[in-house]
Amino acid sequence: MLAQVLAVMIFVLMFGLIVSEKIERQWVSLGCGGLMLIVVFGICMRSGEAVRKTLNVGELATAGFWYAKGAAESASSGINWATILFIAGMMIMVEGMGKAGFFRWLCLRIAKAVRYRAIPILITFMLMSFVLSMFIDSITVILFLAAVTVELGELLNFSPVPVILAEVFCANLGGSSTMCGDPPNIIIGTALGYTFGDFVTNTGVLAAVSLLAILFYFYFCFRKMLGEKKGVQVKKEYPEPVSAIKNKKDFAMSCVIFGLAVILLVTHAMTGLTVASIGIGIAILTLLSAGREAAGLLKKVDYKTLLFFIGLFVVVGGLEETGILKRVADLIEMISGDNVYVMIGIVLWISAGASAFVDNIPFAATMIPVIRSLAQATGLDLSVLAWTLAMGTDVGGSATPIGASANVVGISIASQNGHMIGWKKYCKYLVPATIIVMLIGMAGIFVRYL
């Protein structure tokens, strides 16, 4: 009992410090992870086995971690090393693509294709945000899209705020549609053994249907704001898309590597390559193609996020080892009874509500053992709860300015260029959008799976 109380206290402490933002979150998670190992596992439980299972280092030496032909990928508890290595590999690839000018070239190419008109830019940039976020971290997508949107707004005399808000939402929505689109999905997929194809054919379908509704929603919300100033002439000094390409060889290589990454992810259930293998392989190719500049790419990797993940997994492992998460699952089961509709509704809306105010990454990691226990207790297919959790955590974070990292980045870029986006303006448009997608997602899950 004491171990459970201390585990909960450490978890609450971690969340409180993360939300306060007074200490960088990687030090918070690592510190709380250390407390979990020493105080809970060492002093209270005196369990070396709990420490071993949570650190999970031995998983790296197993063949199934790197190659899982004909079998599900590792679904062990504790530190999810597959997630860590995959995200690290994708970070390196994205840095290489950014350095080659890929993202700026793509933005300028699409803007030129629609003749630099505000409404078409809104629609096409929403679609681009959605599609790119299926394969690339949404933070990176918004960094480039928001910066180019601000530039286009200044040149074409329209406010970039509506477009940035729509881009942020579509980035989070697009991230929900694939296994590699958003960190919660990577965690869910690697922990429960689901593939890229599993996500595309399940959350991907829900996200695609939701996108159609969201395109209409944002068009009707912003058409007057972006359509008031007509006949604005494009400035002649506006840069051509080709100007974004600094080195044609690097640009071509980044496109090839990105294409290869997509192919490997789509086919990894058939090839047997795990996401850890794909992440490491793509990173190695990117570094080899960078040559002497490889060290520079390695320096730009967001190691703080990787350390945050490691500490987070340890803390969540502590909750699992002490039985706290089993108690949470039992509570949800008790409230919902035998009604799976109520159970799915609880998981979906709690995930969305929590992710609107706290980081969706630790919440998703915390909920995985919970939905696993719910599935075992009720007989409901685990995958149904997995897709429910993914939609709730990925899209729910869109509702507030602090709900997801992409939101914070988009607002920051806008404010740096003199376009302030307060809570009132942000929530006015994105809370209804979030509710629309949650309702579509819930209806889709009920109709398709129950």
Side-chain angles (χ1 to χ4, degrees), residues 93-109 128 132 140 144 148 240-255 293 297 300:
M93 181 192 74
V94 167
E95 287 296 337
M97 294 175 69
K99 182 178 177 299
F102 175 83
F103 299 107
R104 182 171 174 78
W105 170 84
L106 184 61
C107 291
L108 296 181
R109 171 60 65 184
M128 182 163 56
L132 285 177
T140 302
F144 287 93
V148 175
E240 287 292 319
V242 70
S243 66
I245 303 174
K246 306 301 180 183
N247 184 302
K248 292 184 178 180
K249 180 182 176 181
D250 290 345
F251 181 82
M253 282 300 299
S254 69
C255 291
E293 298 177 346
L297 294 182
K300 292 182 179 179

Side-chain angles (χ1 to χ4, degrees), residues 28-369:
V28 171
S29 69
L30 288 173
C32 290
L35 286 175
M36 194 71 75
L37 292 173
I38 296 171
V39 177
V40 177
F41 293 161
I43 298 175
C44 293
M45 297 175 62
R46 297 182 181 179
S47 173
E49 179 64 15
V51 174
R52 184 193 65 78
K53 286 176 62 178
T54 301
L55 293 179
N56 203 23
V57 178
E59 182 184 37
L60 296 168
T62 62
F65 180 81
W66 304 100
Y67 182 76
K69 183 68 173 179
E73 293 187 34
S74 170
S76 57
S77 59
I79 298 177
N80 192 325
W81 292 108
T83 296
I84 302 295
L85 294 178
F86 177 72
I87 292 178
M90 292 298 100
M91 284 179 176
I92 293 173
M93 181 192 74
V94 167
E95 287 296 337
M97 294 175 69
K99 182 178 177 299
F102 175 83
F103 299 107
R104 182 171 174 78
W105 170 84
L106 184 61
C107 291
L108 296 181
R109 171 60 65 184
I110 291 178
K112 184 178 181 180
V114 298
R115 299 179 181 178
Y116 304 113
R117 292 174 295 170
I119 295 295
I121 284 175
L122 169 68
I123 301 299
T124 54
F125 274 40
M126 285 173 64
L127 291 171
M128 182 163 56
S129 180
F130 180 92
V131 173
L132 285 177
S133 294
M134 292 171 66
F135 307 101
I136 300 172
D137 180 69
S138 58
I139 299 173
T140 302
V141 173
I142 294 301
L143 274 172
F144 287 93
L145 275 181
V148 175
T149 300
V150 168
E151 183 178 357
L152 288 172
E154 292 175 352
L155 291 170
L156 304 178
N157 199 27
F158 69 82
S159 171
V161 170
V163 184
I164 290 175
L165 289 175
E167 289 167 353
V168 165
F169 189 89
C170 288
N172 292 325
L173 181 60
S176 71
S177 62
T178 67
M179 179 176 169
C180 62
D182 223 17
N185 287 13
I186 300 172
I187 295 171
I188 293 169
T190 53
L192 302 179
Y194 297 126
T195 67
F196 184 94
D198 291 333
F199 275 89
V200 170
T201 54
N202 290 281
T203 58
V205 173
L206 296 174
V209 174
S210 300
L211 177 64
L212 294 176
I214 289 303
L215 287 172
F216 282 105
Y217 170 77
F218 281 123
Y219 169 76
F220 285 109
C221 283
F222 298 141
R223 69 188 190 283
K224 292 184 178 179
M225 296 185 209
L226 298 174
E228 291 176 345
K229 300 172 182 178
K230 299 181 179 180
V232 178
Q233 297 297 317
V234 177
K235 293 188 177 182
K236 295 181 179 179
E237 66 269 21
Y238 193 83
E240 287 292 319
V242 70
S243 66
I245 303 174
K246 306 301 180 183
N247 184 302
K248 292 184 178 180
K249 180 182 176 181
D250 290 345
F251 181 82
M253 282 300 299
S254 69
C255 291
V256 170
I257 292 173
F258 177 60
L260 178 61
V262 173
I263 292 171
L264 290 175
L265 286 167
V266 171
T267 62
H268 82 102
M270 294 178 281
T271 63
L273 293 175
T274 65
V275 292
S277 298
I278 294 171
I280 292 298
I282 291 299
I284 291 173
L285 283 177
T286 302
L287 293 173
L288 289 175
S289 67
R292 296 178 180 179
E293 298 177 346
L297 294 182
L298 286 173
K299 290 180 180 178
K300 292 182 179 179
V301 171
D302 187 0
Y303 294 104
K304 293 181 179 180
T305 295
L306 299 179
L307 291 173
F308 167 70
F309 272 117
I310 292 173
L312 165 66
F313 285 131
V314 173
V315 174
V316 173
L319 295 178
E320 188 171 8
E321 290 294 324
T322 55
I324 292 297
L325 298 183
K326 179 66 169 61
R327 287 176 176 266
V328 174
D330 291 342
L331 178 62
I332 294 176
E333 183 186 359
M334 181 184 70
I335 294 172
S336 59
D338 295 328
N339 193 323
V340 293
Y341 291 91
V342 174
M343 182 182 297
I344 287 173
I346 291 173
V347 172
L348 182 70
W349 289 100
I350 285 181
S351 300
S355 297
F357 296 97
V358 299
D359 198 314
N360 60 3
I361 297 171
F363 184 83
T366 305
M367 285 295 292
I368 287 171

